[in-house]
Amino acid sequence: MHHDVVILGGGLAGLTLALQLRRRMPDLDVLVLERRTHPLPEAAHKVGESSVEIQAHHLSQVLGLKDYLERRQLKKFGFRFFWSDGAPDITRVTELGASTFLPTQSYQLDRGMLENDLAQMVQAAGVQHRDGALVRDFTLGRKGERHQVRYTHGGEEHEATADWLVDASGRAGLIKRRLDLAQPNDHTAHAVWFRIDRRIDVADWTQDTEWLARCNPPNRWLSTNHLVGAGYWVWLIPLASGSHSVGIVADPALHPPETLNSFDKAMDWLQVHQPQLHADLDAKRDGLQDFAFFKRFSYGCKKVWSGSDRWALTGEAGLFLDPFYSPGGDFIAISNSFVTEMVEGDRAQAPVGMLAPMYERIYFSLYEAMLPIYTGQYPLFHSAEVMPLKVLWDYTFYWGVMCQLFFQNRLVDVQAMARLQDDLAWSHRINVAVQDFLRAWGAADGGARPRRMLDQAKLAWFAEMNRGLADRLDQAAFDARLQANLQLLHQLAEQLMDRALRQHPGLPAEALRAVMAQRPAAPAAQNLLFPNLSPA
Ligand SMILES: Cc1cc2nc3c(=O)[nH]c(=O)nc-3n(C[C@H](O)[C@H](O)[C@H](O)COP(=O)(O)OP(=O)(O)OC[C@H]3O[C@@H](n4cnc5c(N)ncnc54)[C@H](O)[C@@H]3O)c2cc1C
């Protein structure tokens, strides 16, 4: 059987790619081979449950799944952070989050439900989806030759040929292994996670009515709650099936994997670091659904596609950063969009062999721009002074630059990207300089974590930035938006630096100042930081 595209692996990346391809090219012949048999278990299936704005936009707008998401999955109440390490009472520590929903929506995804539903959707869209189909071997065709794939299905051997072969096999990395494309990075964090078959609601941990009333609606459980401390964070993610996902992500230098790699050990660790969560989970032990861990989950890739040889990697088969801000689904959205462009271009006889390396450079530049946000930054998670400002910075960078490129469909526009090259390179440089500066500031911070709410919804410029993601911009408006956001990054960096230097005059600020000087900006007319920070 010959197909235009064969996708190896029908997880999130493979299924959403199949859907995107068929939406763009309704006559495209697409085969998805997934080794697991459907229906998949709900809840205890995979991690990758918290979506952020790029993935949410991809699912809801590019793939047209908004109604589905509203009906079957959960509306996420943004990110929320508590500096609650060792704290007996979560209401007494610093909370960072929005008191009310910000306008641009994202979702909590039960991966089992989602993949079951997506499998039905791709079939309804005309994709041939084979579950219980194990890919055993393949031969990559070169320079336009057909690829060959051998797989077992229903106890029989099958063979298929394809013009395009896409590896969406996740960490199995079928093409990556074959071509020796694995590339480690310097980010060494590890993670353990498990699911509990009922809700975990931080509101159940207190009777404090003032604290409970801080959020409207009072549904903190719908957030991706981050319980943070030095060198680690714990995630709490609600799932539409009724379960709750819990994960511990840590820097091995501060929290070695051996101290966490079983449910009992993770519980002992939580008893010390997050006692209220421990008490809640202890009462729900009978509801444990699974337990898993990954050492060193972050990695890069030497090459993610070839236009002339017509193969591509997408999702975790390519690269993965870190779950702290849930970028996994974003990178799936981005690589799937590039692959769709290449397949479509190839059919239209466009010079995809030349286009592919440009797309690849853009894709890698996003990975490289995001990596410094995580690498070496876990030690500063202890700081309820520096970390909220890092989150503010990281979000401004994400919404102000990355999201603009994706929401406005500029990433696949190589001319636009070439035009923006200098601006984007500067945004990368200032991000690296700010991350270095934050790391030094975090090391100097004493770790006070006063009771307060740092409310993102009340920070008008920040909420407006979130709202503006949905705007449709022509070229002039897009250029103006990007320039304004770069100026905002400059101003924010300036205010962060001023505050830090007032507290710790000896912090090394030369590198940051040098990057800021490359692109002068007038000081901001307003205070960009939270108004209720402690006096500097
Ligand atoms: C600790 C952790 C937490 C994370 N949290 C988040 C988060 O909150 N938000 C987020 O966006 N991302 C998160 N991610 C990333 C997210 O998990 C991934 O981006 C996503 O699951 C990758 O999807 P995928 O389709 O590439 O891979 P997978 O979902 O793993 O799909 C690969 C598929 O290929 C199939 N397969 C493999 N080998 C074969 C074969 N030989 N034949 C046939 N089929 C095969 C597998 O069965 C599987 O279904 C997290 C990652 C980690 C490590």
Side-chain angles (χ1 to χ4, degrees):
M1 287 293 292
H2 183 71
H3 306 272
D4 296 320
V5 182
V6 171
I7 300 176
L8 311 177
L12 185 59
L15 291 168
T16 51
L17 175 63
L19 208 51
Q20 191 167 355
L21 287 168
R22 282 289 292 202
R23 276 175 76 87
R24 187 73 79 80
M25 292 159 274
D27 62 334
L28 196 77
D29 182 327
V30 182
L31 171 67
V32 178
L33 299 172
E34 167 54 44
R35 74 175 165 200
R36 298 196 201 211
T37 304
H38 282 236
L40 303 163
E42 293 187 351
H45 181 45
K46 290 176 184 167
V47 279
E49 297 150 323
S50 165
S51 74
V52 279
E53 287 75 14
I54 288 180
Q55 181 185 17
H57 178 77
H58 183 247
L59 293 174
S60 62
Q61 306 301 322
V62 179
L63 301 183
L65 302 182
K66 189 167 177 55
D67 290 347
Y68 162 78
L69 292 165
E70 308 268 318
R71 191 166 33 82
R72 286 277 284 170
Q73 305 287 345
L74 297 176
K75 276 173 107 167
K76 173 172 158 180
F77 198 175
F79 279 128
R80 194 169 299 283
F81 305 81
F82 296 96
W83 277 265
S84 51
D85 181 61
D89 182 355
I90 200 169
T91 68
R92 315 301 305 172
V93 303
T94 299
E95 173 180 3
L96 167 66
S99 56
T100 189
F101 277 82
L102 295 178
T104 300
Q105 194 54 61
S106 56
Y107 302 90
Q108 309 288 21
L109 304 169
D110 183 302
R111 285 290 295 270
M113 286 172 69
L114 181 63
E115 290 182 21
N116 284 331
D117 295 340
L118 281 171
Q120 292 189 4
M121 288 180 218
V122 299
Q123 288 171 64
V127 170
Q128 298 172 61
H129 175 264
R130 236 152 261 171
D131 60 304
L134 177 67
V135 175
R136 296 216 169 263
D137 196 11
F138 58 92
T139 309
L140 285 170
R142 300 281 172 195
K143 308 282 171 228
E145 288 168 7
R146 290 178 169 187
H147 309 287
Q148 293 178 326
V149 181
R150 287 164 285 286
Y151 64 97
T152 47
H153 183 241
E156 289 179 12
E157 300 284 327
H158 297 263
E159 195 166 309
T161 56
D163 291 337
W164 278 85
L165 190 63
V166 181
D167 183 359
S169 66
R171 281 162 197 262
L174 297 174
I175 292 183
K176 185 191 239 181
R177 281 171 208 265
R178 174 70 56 85
L179 297 181
D180 190 25
L181 301 177
Q183 188 165 57
N185 63 28
D186 292 336
H187 186 38
T188 55
H190 62 104
V192 307
W193 63 90
F194 50 91
R195 261 69 53 138
I196 290 283
D197 69 359
R198 61 207 89 150
R199 287 273 166 262
I200 297 168
D201 187 349
V202 291
D204 294 341
W205 301 352
T206 184
Q207 307 278 316
D208 183 331
T209 46
E210 182 266 325
W211 186 87
L212 290 168
R214 269 189 203 164
C215 288
N216 178 21
N219 296 340
R220 286 178 172 92
W221 65 273
L222 279 169
S223 297
T224 298
N225 283 298
H226 293 57
L227 311 181
V228 296
Y232 80 90
W233 60 286
V234 176
W235 82 64
L236 300 177
I237 303 174
L239 304 175
S241 52
S243 297
H244 225 95
S245 174
V246 183
I248 305 171
V249 189
D251 181 336
L254 291 153
H255 305 279
E258 311 77 70
T259 59
L260 289 166
N261 58 7
S262 71
F263 180 67
D264 286 338
K265 285 191 207 171
M267 285 293 282
D268 290 347
W269 185 93
L270 285 170
Q271 193 165 19
V272 175
H273 290 283
Q274 296 293 338
Q276 283 189 296
L277 173 60
H278 173 268
D280 194 340
L281 289 169
D282 203 33
K284 293 172 179 158
R285 272 178 185 263
D286 61 323
L288 181 67
Q289 295 177 296
D290 66 341
F291 183 89
F293 65 94
F294 270 144
K295 276 191 194 163
R296 212 177 166 132
F297 51 64
S298 185
Y299 51 83
C301 194
K302 290 178 200 158
K303 185 164 182 58
V304 283
W305 43 68
S306 164
S308 47
D309 290 341
R310 295 181 174 149
W311 57 262
L313 316 183
T314 186
E316 281 196 341
L319 47 79
F320 178 65
L321 283 161
D322 182 293
F324 189 69
Y325 293 120
S326 308
D330 285 5
F331 274 77
I332 290 175
I334 294 167
S335 57
N336 282 356
S337 299
F338 281 128
V339 174
T340 303
E341 290 293 323
M342 288 189 287
V343 172
E344 188 181 42
D346 192 33
R347 289 186 108 203
Q349 321 241 302
V352 171
M354 281 158 57
L355 195 62
M358 294 190 244
Y359 282 167
E360 192 175 54
R361 265 199 299 282
I362 298 168
Y363 190 62
F364 283 152
S365 71
L366 299 176
Y367 164 78
E368 283 152 15
M370 301 278 280
L371 195 55
I373 289 176
Y374 308 107
T375 309
Q377 298 299 55
Y378 272 52
L380 77 82
F381 286 11
H382 80 283
S383 171
E385 162 70 21
V386 183
M387 197 58 197
L389 299 177
K390 171 173 161 56
V391 172
L392 196 64
W393 169 268
D394 293 341
Y395 255 77
T396 307
F397 182 69
Y398 174 66
W399 286 345
V401 181
M402 306 269 297
C403 285
Q404 299 299 328
L405 296 172
F406 189 79
F407 277 65
Q408 305 301 331
N409 211 20
R410 291 304 194 281
L411 281 178
V412 294
D413 177 347
V414 285
Q415 274 158 6
M417 290 302 288
R419 199 164 43 81
L420 299 171
Q421 205 173 1
D422 289 348
D423 291 331
L424 297 176
W426 181 82
S427 76
H428 181 47
R429 284 198 298 280
I430 193 162
N431 182 41
V432 170
V434 166
Q435 299 296 339
D436 289 345
F437 184 76
L438 290 167
R439 196 160 46 246
W441 186 8
D445 181 64
R449 38 185 192 178
R451 175 187 164 117
R452 65 185 171 192
M453 169 132 185
L454 302 175
D455 188 351
Q456 296 166 329
K458 296 224 171 80
L459 216 49
W461 68 269
F462 189 76
E464 168 56 19
M465 200 168 204
N466 173 280
R467 189 215 56 75
L469 292 174
D471 293 343
R472 294 275 66 84
L473 305 177
D474 63 17
Q475 182 168 321
F478 174 79
D479 287 352
R481 168 75 59 87
L482 193 68
Q483 294 310 319
N485 289 347
L486 294 179
Q487 172 160 309
L488 186 61
L489 282 172
H490 190 294
Q491 293 167 334
L492 185 56
E494 183 125 46
Q495 294 192 7
L496 294 176
M497 190 175 65
D498 284 353
R499 180 173 173 82
L501 291 175
R502 261 180 279 136
Q503 292 175 353
H504 307 283
L507 287 176
E510 299 71 32
L512 178 53
R513 281 208 182 95
V515 181
M516 287 164 70
Q518 292 163 4
R519 197 187 175 92
Q526 55 174 326
N527 172 24
L528 298 171
L529 309 184
F530 298 98
N532 57 334
L533 289 175
S534 331

